[in-house]
Amino acid sequence: MKISGNTFIVTGGASGLGESTIRKIVGQGANAVVIDLNEEGAKKLSEEFGEDRVLATGSVNVTDEAQVEKALALAVEHFGTIAGAIICHGVAGAVPSIPGFGPNNALTSFQQMKFVSDINYLAVFCVAQKVVEIIMKQEPLNEEGERGIIVMVSSVAGLDGSTSAYGPSKAAVAGLVLPLAREWAPFGIRVAGIAPGYFVTPMTTNLPEEYQSMLIPNVFPKRLGLPAEFANTVSYVLENVMVNGSILRLDAGVRLTY
Ligand SMILES: NC(=O)c1ccc[n+]([C@@H]2O[C@H](COP(=O)([O-])OP(=O)(O)OC[C@H]3O[C@@H](n4cnc5c(N)ncnc54)[C@H](O)[C@@H]3O)[C@@H](O)[C@H]2O)c1
């Protein structure tokens, strides 16, 4: 699909990988709609690029179906046709006020698992499904019959069996990609996943040093990924119609062993 002239929803667009994605695709001529809890960050981006290119939708909690619907209605009202969504919102773990169990509360509790799964997994499906409901009623965007695309962000933590509750929530996102690609294929809607290794964003700012040293051996390049490298991958996935139903690891060859 062409990027220029099309409109994409970006959840988590106010920070990190989502923000970098917006900068990339708007630079390539797209319009973007920011859906994020972080109202301030979304507003800043909209002011920087202008509301005719980047729409901020206020503070939106993606775990709340009604808030997602309201934000998408604003997007349609503002830009008309929607070509897809890049679903980048997420949390690395539960908030400190939700305790774990066992010694020092260090083991994952049901409440922690539920908090992370609601945001990282169920809300990903919520946004994807509601965007697709809009897209499937629109005319195809090109002669191939392509109507739209959903890009979901998984993680190597999900594919390598690391880090409960984060890892299982990201494994679940990976598990959505092929079944949804098959379900939505009759409408010309693609679904793709990207599974990043560790990237330099606010989410990884406080990564303990021992984690960083565990990541570095046997990989090239020996550094964390840059948000622009993630955004370049999104751009490639949007443009290449043959990318469908698969999950691309973007990790410099790292395999998590903890
Ligand atoms: N940074 C990494 O190393 C890395 C690696 C693998 C996967 N990921 C995934 O990439 C995605 C982007 O992460 P990032 O590193 O840019 O993190 P980030 O913290 O910079 O951005 C996450 C964004 O999600 C938003 N968000 C969180 N909960 C929300 C909610 N309930 N409703 C609406 N918005 C919400 C936050 O406000 C924030 O703007 C996440 O899904 C993350 O799990 C990141």
Side-chain angles (χ1 to χ4, degrees):
M1 122 178 356
K2 256 186 11 184
I3 291 177
S4 183
N6 276 325
T7 297
F8 299 91
I9 308 294
V10 184
T11 69
S15 172
L17 303 183
E19 177 185 344
S20 186
T21 295
I22 289 181
R23 292 185 181 284
K24 174 73 183 181
I25 63 175
V26 172
Q28 291 180 295
N31 305 316
V33 178
V34 193
I35 293 188
D36 201 300
L37 265 182
N38 177 355
E39 181 170 10
E40 209 42 48
K43 204 168 133 210
K44 265 195 200 149
L45 272 176
S46 180
E47 282 168 1
E48 180 181 334
F49 288 101
E51 224 189 18
D52 57 327
R53 302 298 304 283
V54 176
L55 177 70
T57 55
S59 178
V60 182
N61 188 336
V62 288
T63 64
D64 184 324
E65 189 182 352
Q67 290 187 31
V68 171
E69 282 174 352
K70 192 173 157 206
L72 293 178
L74 283 177
V76 171
E77 188 185 306
H78 193 74
F79 286 120
T81 304
I82 305 297
I86 302 105
I87 304 180
C88 296
H89 72 264
V91 289
V95 288
S97 58
I98 305 179
F101 76 105
N104 303 319
N105 279 341
L107 307 176
T108 307
S109 66
F110 172 69
Q111 287 306 325
Q112 288 180 327
M113 183 67 83
K114 181 169 171 10
F115 177 88
V116 174
S117 303
D118 281 351
I119 298 171
N120 285 4
Y121 168 55
L122 271 184
V124 169
F125 179 74
C126 176
V127 173
Q129 184 254 296
K130 289 183 185 302
V131 170
V132 162
E133 222 173 324
I134 294 167
I135 291 175
M136 64 192 284
K137 294 174 191 146
Q138 297 173 170
E139 291 302 312
L141 297 167
N142 53 37
E143 285 178 4
E144 186 113 44
E146 194 180 17
R147 278 195 173 77
I149 179 162
I150 303 294
V151 182
M152 300 176 175
V153 185
S154 178
S155 167
V156 295
L159 302 184
D160 293 349
S162 176
T163 331
S164 65
Y166 180 76
S169 72
K170 291 296 179 177
V173 170
L176 281 176
V177 172
L178 185 56
L180 294 182
R182 287 174 169 158
E183 188 170 305
W184 296 335
F187 303 97
I189 299 169
R190 292 186 285 136
V191 183
I194 300 174
Y198 282 88
F199 276 63
V200 184
T201 72
M203 187 178 274
T204 53
T205 307
N206 298 319
L207 200 63
E209 221 166 88
E210 67 263 27
Y211 271 61
Q212 300 227 17
S213 58
M214 277 195 270
L215 298 174
I216 300 306
N218 308 324
V219 302
F220 179 83
K222 290 186 189 304
R223 61 171 174 79
L224 304 192
L226 302 175
E229 291 163 338
F230 173 86
N232 289 344
T233 308
V234 171
S235 172
Y236 158 78
V237 167
L238 296 181
E239 284 182 330
N240 192 331
V241 74
M242 287 305 286
V243 179
N244 194 13
S246 61
I247 299 151
L248 179 62
R249 287 186 75 118
L250 195 66
D251 63 1
V254 78
R255 297 294 180 270
L256 303 187
T257 56
Y258 52 89

